Amino acid sequence: MTAPPAAAPANTESADIVVVGAGILGLAVAWALGQALGRDGGRSVLVVDRHPPATQATARAAALLTRARGDAATAALVRDTYAAIAALEGELEEDLGLRRVGTLHVAAGAARVEALRALVAGNADPGADPGADPVEWLDGDGAARLAPCLSGEAVERAAFMPLDGFIDPVRLADAYRRSARRSGVRIRNGLSVRAIRVERGHVAGIDTDHGFIAAPVVVNAAGAWAAGLAWSAGVGLPQAPVRSQYWITEPRPDLFPRDLPVLVMPDAGAYARPELGALLFGLRGRRSIAFDPARLPADTAGLELADSDGGWETLEEGWHTLARLCPPLFQVGIAHYVSGLSTYTADGRFVLGPVPEVEGLFMATGCCGAGIAASGGIGRSVAASVLGRPEPVELSPFAPGRLGAVDPFSPALRDACAAARSGKTAG
Ligand SMILES: Cc1cc2nc3c(=O)[nH]c(=O)nc-3n(C[C@H](O)[C@H](O)[C@H](O)COP(=O)(O)OP(=O)(O)OC[C@H]3O[C@@H](n4cnc5c(N)ncnc54)[C@H](O)[C@@H]3O)c2cc1C
């Protein structure tokens, strides 16, 4: 290992740890660093973003906090988010509005029932209380009793996980932010990071449009822009920005009561949840759209205008299969369309932890449409990794280099990441 870069010149702004990105992942890492270091922890933490906190992908999330993930490591990260919400509510002495309505995983045909059993089994935590994540199996009529908008005839079997829920993603992100601020974390917006500066194999800091900030440790939580930023340090990330989208019906509380469970319906490539008397539903579509991370605008709101068909193709393609499962959709109008960029990897796993090629560089990205659900776990485990402490959830399955050398700007990578989103069956 070479010696770290020399200390910053007197007039250079500096921090011990810089987190790039004040979306939910950057804020969750900052929160966990603040918790671990305490107000007088001796190491300064600075979060930088060009936009105000939680205004990009985070602001657009449906924010399902689905526990069944098919692999134990991801499920453990999600479980940690529930623990984080409880801890934040205790610290801030407020209710963060977690809507614990449960998730109903629906299988429309016999073949899907086996896949559903495997998905739910993957959530089992052998170390935890066996009663911690209860699952109730239902037939079609039982499912329709729980979720009256479902057609009992169209459902073969369903698995209900009553402890699941959803949350306002901006509210959760803001809770991480406020707790981090209490611990002494500084947050600066209006600062655009141009590059991560590396000297002799070590992180030296970040170059921004307002000058250089020296830091021996940088956490890249730049969401859809993370691959472009990592490339400035010579690191290729195995992820691509992929469009996610959902629709919200007109309000019909008679059809979509507030306590309707979250519905995960892989036969239709769909999920749904109640939204103030309306139904919010997402369709994944056979062909997801991935974007070149080198060509993203700084604000993805513009992307909706330039590169989107308003979700029309996906809606046309998936509507009937979904409405057969959920017939009230044949009767109601659509009031809103929401789209934004998630970042997907080809294997559907996050991109988390240290980058071996560059000392002091860590990743908290590759969200695979589950960044809200896993935020607490990602925050705690990435912070532990940064501080050289044992990771509550071991990050090796999410190692940035696990898929070998990649060209983050190649069409082949984009295709593989888009396919991962289209093939997703969990929440
Ligand atoms: C339609 C939709 C539905 C979704 N539904 C769910 C769901 O149900 N459940 C779930 O868990 N997740 C869901 N997601 C995914 C979720 O939104 C993301 O996983 C999560 O918001 C990722 O957070 P982030 O902090 O990585 O990204 P972001 O929130 O995008 O934050 C990244 C931040 O980095 C900043 N940044 C980037 N580059 C720079 C730079 N060079 N200089 C300065 N600042 C920079 C950006 O300005 C931004 O604020 C959904 C996403 C979409 C779009």
Side-chain angles (χ1 to χ4, degrees):
M1 199 193 303
T2 53
N11 285 335
T12 304
E13 186 175 352
S14 68
D16 293 311
I17 303 167
V18 164
V19 178
V20 182
I24 201 161
L25 295 188
L27 293 170
V29 171
W31 159 75
L33 285 168
Q35 293 288 304
L37 292 169
R39 182 161 260 289
D40 302 311
R43 290 174 80 179
S44 58
V45 180
L46 172 68
V47 180
V48 299
D49 201 305
R50 57 186 158 215
H51 295 298
T55 50
Q56 296 301 302
T58 298
R60 295 178 171 85
L64 314 183
L65 308 179
T66 319
R67 288 166 204 260
R69 292 285 165 182
D71 78 278
T74 305
L77 292 173
V78 177
R79 247 194 309 274
D80 266 4
T81 301
Y82 282 93
I85 292 169
L88 286 163
E89 289 187 330
E91 181 198 336
L92 301 172
E93 296 181 346
E94 67 188 77
D95 179 350
L96 292 178
L98 169 64
R99 298 287 315 286
R100 215 182 267 274
V101 290
T103 298
L104 191 60
H105 293 269
V106 173
R112 184 67 67 183
V113 176
E114 285 318 304
L116 181 51
R117 284 193 197 288
L119 176 73
V120 172
N123 188 50
D125 175 17
D129 171 2
D133 287 344
V135 181
E136 191 182 337
W137 286 91
L138 301 165
D139 61 13
D141 288 344
R145 267 195 299 279
L146 206 60
C149 65
L150 282 178
S151 154
E153 283 167 18
V155 175
E156 175 81 21
R157 293 284 279 164
F160 181 56
M161 302 190 71
L163 297 185
D164 275 9
F166 64 91
I167 197 164
D168 182 323
V170 176
R171 209 162 155 194
L172 177 56
D174 191 58
Y176 289 127
R177 180 191 66 80
R178 284 185 290 146
S179 174
R181 295 283 292 118
R182 284 180 171 207
S183 310
V185 170
R186 287 178 296 147
I187 299 177
R188 284 190 58 184
N189 66 292
L191 208 68
S192 200
V193 181
R194 292 182 171 148
I196 297 166
R197 197 186 289 184
V198 179
E199 291 173 5
R200 300 190 302 278
H202 290 256
V203 164
I206 51 170
D207 288 300
T208 80
D209 56 352
H210 286 66
F212 178 63
I213 298 177
V217 172
V218 169
V219 179
N220 179 356
W225 301 267
L229 191 62
W231 194 245
S232 71
V235 175
L237 291 189
Q239 66 183 45
V242 180
R243 183 179 70 175
S244 294
Q245 55 196 350
Y246 56 79
W247 295 259
I248 304 174
T249 67
E250 61 183 318
R252 285 292 302 269
D254 53 324
L255 300 172
F256 310 121
R258 278 176 60 83
D259 60 353
L260 190 71
V262 170
L263 304 172
V264 177
M265 298 166 283
D267 299 275
Y271 63 82
R273 68 161 171 83
E275 172 74 4
L276 303 171
L279 190 74
L280 178 160
F281 65 94
L283 287 165
R284 299 220 160 86
R286 276 197 297 269
R287 201 180 56 84
S288 293
I289 300 177
F291 293 83
D292 183 346
R295 297 162 62 98
L296 286 185
D299 187 335
T300 50
L303 208 67
E304 286 163 23
L305 300 174
D307 259 308
S308 170
D309 62 352
W312 183 247
E313 185 185 318
T314 310
L315 188 64
E316 276 289 282
E317 172 192 294
W319 172 257
H320 266 84
T321 312
L322 176 59
R324 271 200 300 274
L325 276 169
C326 188
L329 284 176
F330 284 121
Q331 301 168 34
V332 298
I334 291 170
H336 301 284
Y337 168 67
V338 176
S339 75
L341 290 184
S342 293
T343 50
Y344 274 80
T345 57
D347 65 359
R349 288 179 181 238
F350 306 115
V351 176
L352 306 175
V355 173
E357 310 91 290
V358 181
E359 191 78 18
L361 182 56
F362 293 80
M363 298 296 151
T365 182
C367 75
C368 293
I372 313 299
S375 57
I378 290 175
R380 289 183 64 217
S381 288
V382 171
S385 174
V386 166
L387 299 175
R389 299 180 183 174
E391 296 153 5
V393 177
E394 222 228 297
L395 292 182
S396 55
F398 309 105
R402 68 186 180 276
L403 298 171
V406 287
D407 172 358
F409 310 112
S410 76
L413 177 69
R414 287 204 287 283
D415 288 350
C417 295
R421 177 177 180 276
S422 291
K424 193 172 164 186
T425 54

